[in-house]
Amino acid sequence: MKIALPLICLLVAGCRDAQPPLPTRDEAAQLNEAEDLLDQTANDEGPDAAAADPSLNN
């Protein structure tokens, strides 16, 4: 019985939710701005951005 109680305590402690906290309103706004900026940058580069560099074909 002396061993059972610590084992149960460890089991209960290991079962708690390990999710990170949700962002605050200010943090969410900053994340949305950064996402919009990244989307805009990706759209500005276009499909030719992933093309091979012609200077490498020497």
Side-chain angles (χ1 to χ4, degrees):
M1 187 67 185
K2 291 181 180 180
I3 295 176
L5 184 61
L7 289 177
I8 292 172
C9 291
L10 286 174
L11 180 64
V12 170
C15 292
R16 64 188 157 107
D17 193 13
Q19 292 181 351
L22 294 175
T24 63
R25 286 185 184 181
D26 293 336
E27 291 171 338
Q30 288 178 340
L31 290 171
N32 288 337
E33 281 183 36
E35 183 179 11
D36 291 342
L37 183 63
L38 288 172
D39 289 341
Q40 182 182 9
T41 303
N43 290 337
D44 289 345
E45 291 178 4
D48 294 334
D53 188 0
S55 64
L56 296 177
N57 295 331
N58 292 334

